[in-house]
Amino acid sequence: MLLLPKFIAGFSGDFVNAHGYADFFNATALLGLPVLVLVALAAHYQPSDQSSSQPSAQASSVD
């Protein structure tokens, strides 16, 4: 069990009381943006396998 996330989560209620639910929702949504950027970068730089999408010229047929 990780204590730091539980400790930080205890202050979410204080944030909501101070700023409201709309600001809390926007702040938590903004926390997810770096993850989306990293996923997009990983998908962009992942080498693609061109051979699996094209039929092979060496494929043998069963007669």
Side-chain angles (χ1 to χ4, degrees), residues 33-60:
L33 288 180
V35 174
L36 295 176
V37 170
L38 289 175
V39 168
L41 285 173
H44 178 72
Y45 288 111
Q46 184 178 8
S48 61
D49 187 16
Q50 296 286 335
S51 63
S52 64
S53 64
Q54 297 174 353
S56 176
Q58 299 173 353
S60 61

Side-chain angles (χ1 to χ4, degrees), residues 5 11 16 19 21 28 41 45 48 55 63:
F11 293 104
V16 169
H19 301 285
Y21 283 108
T28 54
L41 285 173
Y45 288 111
S48 61
D63 292 329

